[in-house]
Amino acid sequence: MTDSGKVALVTGGNKGIGFEVARQLAQADHQVVIGARTDERGRAAAEKLRADGVEVSYVVLDVSAPDSISAALEVVAARYGRLDVLVNNAGIAPAEGPPSEVAPEVLQETYETNVFGLVAVTQAALPLLRLAVAGRIVNLSSGAGSLTVVGGPDWRPEWNGLAYNTSKSAVNAVTVAFASELRPTPIKVNAVNPGYTRTDMSPGADRPAAAGAAVVVRYASLPADGPTGGFFDENGAVPW
Ligand code: NAP
């Protein structure tokens, strides 16, 4: 089956993993809309891809601002009339100390973007996803969202981030909840850990953003018999 003409929205698509997801989906013949917090960042990202011969459009979309979400989805509706792929990529990982010292504002801010924003975008996008033949939702999770991994012996103590890690565990739970509701429909909802990837969020990582993006694109392009309600990385299923 060809992906030609499929419409994809990538939140936080102006840089990092989201930017590479946008590139790869566009190269796979999707009509990609980059969501960016500002017009300037969206335009710059689209121009950068255009310079590489990759055409995408962009929309201003701050996932923590309800008005911005509804305005962005109205633009997608007016431009395309449906949405085939939603990549909930936007996320933050603020500096945080040990769990006993995390300021409530840090917890609040992290959840506003990583969890509440993701839910709000998904809810706003669902009417358009239901109009697609085979809607796909990919939620960016993390190994840090796996209770098994974080609670295991190999997890690094300096990565014991209360706000970020638990927000990604919540993303996993949100993924299962939407997947359960949508199981009678063709829409598939999965959580993906792109792996420890070199971006502004993780400058110390070795893995290029394109490699992290490839895992996301795989689950954005699942066939009809693919999984839903799962949690995956490049090697397959990740324990919850
Ligand atoms: P990044 O380079 O920091 O990019 C994050 C993107 O999210 C940026 O485009 C940023 O926009 C956007 N964003 C942040 N808050 C937003 C908001 N309120 N509304 C809309 N967009 C917002 O990080 P990344 O490494 O590519 O991360 C992408 C996703 O992968 C995140 O969900 C992250 O948790 C997940 N992840 C990353 C790694 C890793 O090692 N890098 C590992 C596991 C999971 P601005 O440019 O405006 O800030």
Side-chain angles (χ1 to χ4, degrees), residues 151-167:
D154 298 330
W155 192 246
R156 285 157 57 170
E158 67 271 25
W159 286 354
N160 190 22
L162 182 73
Y164 183 75
N165 295 1
T166 67
S167 77

Side-chain angles (χ1 to χ4, degrees), residues 9-15 18-19 33-36 61 63 86-91 121:
L9 173 63
V10 184
T11 69
N14 57 293
K15 68 175 187 179
F19 181 75
V33 185
I34 282 178
L61 173 51
V63 306
L86 171 63
V87 180
N88 281 313
N89 165 80
V121 172

Side-chain angles (χ1 to χ4, degrees), residues 31-116:
Q31 304 182 75
V32 176
V33 185
I34 282 178
R37 272 201 272 201
T38 68
D39 190 80
E40 199 182 11
R41 289 175 200 175
R43 185 180 314 121
E47 282 173 2
K48 206 168 153 193
L49 285 172
R50 184 166 304 129
D52 292 343
V54 177
E55 285 298 327
V56 303
S57 64
Y58 71 93
V59 66
V60 175
L61 173 51
D62 180 339
V63 306
S64 65
D67 289 351
S68 169
I69 295 171
S70 43
L73 268 301
E74 277 169 27
V75 170
V76 175
R79 226 179 258 170
Y80 301 106
R82 70 172 200 286
L83 185 63
D84 299 272
V85 175
L86 171 63
V87 180
N88 281 313
N89 165 80
I92 57 170
E96 44 178 330
S100 56
E101 294 173 15
V102 173
E105 311 82 71
V106 171
L107 205 55
Q108 182 83 38
E109 183 200 8
T110 308
Y111 272 68
E112 290 288 355
T113 302
N114 295 4
V115 185
F116 307 146

Side-chain angles (χ1 to χ4, degrees), residues 6 49 81 90 99 120 131 179 212:
K6 285 189 176 174
L49 285 172
L131 295 175

Side-chain angles (χ1 to χ4, degrees), residues 201-224:
M201 183 181 286
S202 300
D206 291 331
R207 185 179 165 77
V215 191
V216 177
V217 168
R218 188 184 313 154
Y219 287 90
S221 315
L222 284 175

